[in-house]
Amino acid sequence: MHKMSPSKLVHFDLANFPVSDTIRMLTCLLEKITKTNDKIPCSSCTCFHARSIPSIDIQAYLTRILKYCPCNNECFLSLLVFFDRMSQREELRIDSYNIHRLVISGIMIASKFFSDVFFTNTRYAKVGGLPVTELNMLELEFLRINNFNIYVSLEELQQYGDQLLMHSIREQYKKEYKQVKMQHDHYYLSGWKHQIQIEDVQQF
């Protein structure tokens, strides 16, 4: 009997999946990536690097963008496609110093591609906490690294959506397994201590 791979068992509904849940899953993945890369010394900085790590976390930043510049799942999933392409072309390493500028630039560009109606760069700059002149420059650099190719097929979006959903399920499973294991260890340790106390009393 042919067995299906785990990735085939999940399906990300591009049209109906709650965008807030997409942001939650995207945050989980991006935080995992940035925390890993933060441990690697940065040999060179790009225009996307901030002088210090922004105080707003990734999920709050993505949620702020969604609130003031509403967009669909396609825009958020496109970030992953763009980041993969950029990493292959110029060995871009995403960390806590550059993730915010990469996110605001990528979503702004994706919204122009996927949406018939989109917001101005000035609005995105205000929402993202950047001067519009800087965001304009980041947009050009983002496009350049992507070889000015921002086309993302429906098949790519579906693939990345399925993979993101699968990653979220696996992370949730790991979290629940860890919690159950901790509870089990706690109960085992408590029973072990209780047994020692009984033995001490009997010896006394």
Side-chain angles (χ1 to χ4, degrees):
M1 181 177 179
H2 178 68
K3 293 183 179 180
M4 295 182 66
S5 62
S7 60
K8 297 295 184 181
L9 300 177
V10 297
H11 177 76
F12 184 94
D13 190 336
L14 287 169
N16 300 311
F17 199 87
V19 182
S20 58
D21 288 344
T22 302
I23 287 178
R24 175 183 54 79
M25 296 191 303
L26 184 59
T27 297
C28 179
L29 176 60
L30 293 178
E31 284 184 343
K32 187 175 182 179
I33 294 173
T34 55
K35 287 179 180 178
T36 299
N37 289 338
D38 285 346
K39 300 175 183 178
I40 306 172
C42 181
S43 57
S44 61
C45 293
T46 68
C47 60
F48 295 102
H49 281 79
R51 294 180 180 178
S52 59
I53 298 177
S55 58
I56 184 172
D57 61 41
I58 297 175
Q59 182 164 357
Y61 197 65
L62 290 170
T63 302
R64 174 178 171 80
I65 294 172
L66 177 64
K67 179 179 180 180
Y68 295 106
C69 298
C71 52
N72 51 29
N73 282 319
E74 286 84 344
C75 292
F76 290 102
L77 290 177
S78 292
L79 285 177
L80 299 177
V81 182
F82 293 151
F83 291 169
D84 272 353
R85 292 176 182 176
M86 295 167 78
S87 298
Q88 293 171 7
R89 282 182 57 83
E90 297 204 2
E91 297 183 355
L92 175 70
R93 190 173 69 216
I94 299 174
D95 56 30
S96 296
Y97 287 88
N98 61 20
I99 183 61
H100 294 77
R101 282 173 167 79
L102 287 169
V103 161
I104 190 66
S105 303
I107 290 181
M108 182 178 71
I109 290 170
S111 68
K112 293 179 180 180
F113 178 78
F114 286 105
S115 305
D116 294 328
V117 179
F118 51 85
F119 299 96
T120 63
N121 284 24
T122 301
R123 183 177 179 89
Y124 277 107
K126 185 176 181 180
V127 172
L130 298 170
V132 66
T133 52
E134 181 178 358
L135 185 57
N136 290 341
M137 180 267 293
L138 294 176
E139 180 182 24
L140 287 175
E141 182 62 9
F142 197 100
L143 290 170
R144 184 193 68 79
I145 300 177
N146 277 279
N147 199 28
F148 292 91
N149 175 26
I150 60 172
Y151 175 75
V152 181
S153 67
L154 181 61
E155 290 75 18
E156 281 183 298
L157 288 174
Q158 189 63 61
Q159 178 186 359
Y160 276 81
D162 291 345
Q163 290 177 348
L164 181 63
L165 181 56
M166 191 67 218
H167 175 268
S168 177
I169 292 173
R170 286 173 176 168
E171 290 300 308
Q172 184 62 31
Y173 173 78
K174 290 178 183 178
K175 183 179 180 181
E176 292 176 356
Y177 174 79
K178 185 177 181 180
Q179 290 176 342
V180 171
K181 187 176 184 302
M182 289 177 63
Q183 291 176 354
H184 175 270
D185 292 345
H186 174 72
Y187 291 142
Y188 176 80
L189 183 61
S190 298
W192 181 69
K193 287 182 176 179
H194 180 66
Q195 182 65 28
I196 290 178
Q197 291 174 353
I198 293 177
E199 291 176 356
D200 288 345
V201 171
Q202 291 176 343
Q203 290 176 5
F204 179 78

